Amino acid sequence: IGAVALLACWWGEHDFGRALWLSIFHSVSAFCNAGFSLFSDNLIGQQRNASVLGILATLIVVGGIGFPVLHDLRARLRGKLRLTTHTRIVLVSTSILIVVGAASFLLFEWDRELRSLGLVDRVVNALFMSISPRTAGFNAVDYEAISNDSLFLTVALMWIGGAPGSVAGGVKVTTVSLLALLVWARLRGDHHVSVGGRTVPDETVHRATGLAVGMVLILLSFTLVMLEFEPASADRGEERAQMVSHVFEVQSALSTVGLSMNLTPTLADSSKLALVFVMLLGRVGPLAVIGAMAARGKHSTFRYPHEDVLIG
C-alpha cells in the first residue's frame, strides 16, 4: 500500500521504472524503520513534498508500534471488546510523543531550519522530525544545522525509540510510560503501578527501570570511549561541539536510528568499530545480553536480612 501511494507521488517526477523502484525501496525502508534512502541527500530534497513525507511517516509509525499492537487492533476491528493494556499504553504514548515532539520542533525551528518553508510544509516537516528519530533515521533536514534545543529533543526521542515487538530500537515507549506511571504512583502514595483499571506486575516495572538505567550507562560509557579514541582539538569551542556530536552519534547507534551530524565519515577506525558494537548491542537489546550472562551464573535460594538505604 505504501509503495503504491509513493508511486502516485513520484510517477510524475521520474520515469515509471525509476519511480516504481524508488517507491518499493522507500516503503520497505520506512516500514522496517531502516532509514536508508536512494537519494544522495536522504530526504532533504523532499522537504516540500508533503505527500511523500506524510506517507513515509505513516509507514514508520505502523512499523514502530509493534506487531502485537497491529494484531490487537485487527482483533478489535473483528469484534474484540477490549484492547490490551499494552496496546493502549503504546498508542497513547506514541501519540503524545508525536504531537509534543512536532509542536516543539515547530517552536525551535520556525525561524531557523524551517524558515524557508510554507506553513503546511513546516508542520509536515516538524511531524517528520518528531517521528523519524524513533527510530527510522530518515532525515529531511540537516541535523548539523538545527538548534541545540532540537538536538537535545532528537537525542531524547532516539533514546525512547518505538514499541516492543516492533522493528524499532530504543528503550521503548512502554518503558518510559511505566517509569512515568511509577513516579505518579509514588507521588500518590500507591505501592503498585496501575493504568486503565489494571495493575502492572512489579517485576515488569523493575525490568523497565533496569533497562532505562542500562541504556543511560551504555550511552555514557561509549561516549567516553569515543572521546578517548578521537584526537583532541586545539580549539576549545570545537572540542565542546565535538562532544555533542559524539553523544548524538552514540545514541543514534545504540537505538539503531542511523541519524548523524555528518560526523560518521570523519571518525577514526577505532571509533567506527565501537559504533558497530553499540549498534549490535542496541539491536539485540541490553536486557537480552544481561539476561544471557546472568543465566550462566548460579542463583541464590536465600535472602540476606533486610536493611534500608536512604534515597533522594
Side-chain angles (χ1 to χ4, degrees):
I1 294 173
V4 172
L6 289 172
L7 179 61
C9 297
W10 278 329
W11 194 350
E13 301 178 21
H14 308 275
D15 61 77
F16 180 77
R18 171 70 173 166
L20 179 62
W21 174 232
L22 288 172
S23 303
I24 294 174
F25 185 95
H26 285 87
S27 63
V28 173
S29 184
F31 179 78
C32 294
N33 283 207
F36 291 114
S37 174
L38 295 177
F39 301 112
S40 59
D41 61 354
N42 205 279
L43 296 179
I44 293 179
Q46 304 295 315
Q47 271 190 344
R48 289 177 169 80
N49 200 335
S51 299
V52 169
L53 294 183
I55 294 167
L56 292 175
T58 302
L59 288 169
I60 292 169
V61 172
V62 173
I65 60 176
F67 298 106
V69 173
L70 295 177
H71 176 77
D72 197 28
L73 289 174
R74 183 177 64 176
R76 180 69 178 86
L77 291 175
R78 293 181 175 180
K80 181 182 177 181
L81 296 180
R82 182 182 181 276
L83 293 174
T84 64
T85 300
H86 170 83
T87 296
R88 297 167 71 182
I89 290 177
V90 169
L91 294 179
V92 171
S93 58
T94 298
S95 300
I96 292 174
L97 287 171
I98 291 174
V99 173
V100 173
S104 300
F105 282 124
L106 271 177
L107 176 64
F108 300 152
E109 302 299 326
W110 184 269
D111 292 324
R112 295 180 179 179
E113 189 65 11
L114 303 179
R115 65 182 181 276
S116 62
L117 304 177
L119 176 60
V120 174
D121 288 331
R122 287 185 184 186
V123 173
V124 172
N125 275 269
L127 281 169
F128 197 78
M129 291 176 69
S130 178
I131 292 170
S132 185
R134 308 174 31 249
T135 57
F138 284 117
N139 66 290
V141 298
D142 183 357
Y143 278 89
E144 192 176 18
I146 63 176
S147 64
N148 287 334
D149 301 352
S150 295
L151 281 177
F152 180 85
L153 180 56
T154 301
V155 170
L157 291 174
M158 290 193 295
W159 186 80
I160 295 172
S166 73
V167 294
V171 75
K172 303 297 188 295
V173 292
T174 48
T175 299
V176 175
S177 298
L178 288 180
L179 292 178
L181 290 169
L182 175 62
V183 172
W184 179 243
R186 292 296 182 263
L187 290 175
R188 296 176 57 190
D190 296 336
H191 296 290
H192 302 284
V193 173
S194 300
V195 56
R198 297 292 188 271
T199 298
V200 180
D202 291 340
E203 178 61 27
T204 301
V205 178
H206 294 160
R207 285 203 305 270
T209 305
L211 177 57
V213 172
M215 290 286 278
V216 171
L217 291 178
I218 292 172
L219 171 62
L220 296 177
S221 300
F222 278 93
T223 300
L224 181 60
V225 167
M226 287 188 61
L227 289 173
E228 287 297 316
F229 284 162
E230 294 299 306
S233 173
D235 187 336
R236 185 68 65 181
E238 182 180 347
E239 192 173 25
R240 291 289 181 267
Q242 284 180 349
M243 185 178 69
V244 174
S245 300
H246 281 74
V247 171
F248 192 96
E249 199 85 5
V250 174
Q251 184 58 68
S252 181
L254 182 58
S255 296
T256 64
V257 180
L259 292 176
S260 176
M261 295 174 65
N262 302 323
L263 178 68
T264 311
T266 67
L267 293 175
D269 290 342
S270 54
S271 295
K272 291 178 181 177
L273 289 175
L275 284 180
V276 168
F277 182 78
V278 172
M279 285 187 282
L280 290 172
L281 182 60
R283 184 66 278 173
V284 174
L287 276 186
V289 175
I290 296 172
M293 294 170 61
R296 302 179 62 181
K298 295 181 179 180
H299 299 279
S300 301
T301 56
F302 63 90
R303 291 188 302 177
Y304 292 105
H306 287 275
E307 185 170 346
D308 208 355
V309 177
L310 297 177
I311 300 294

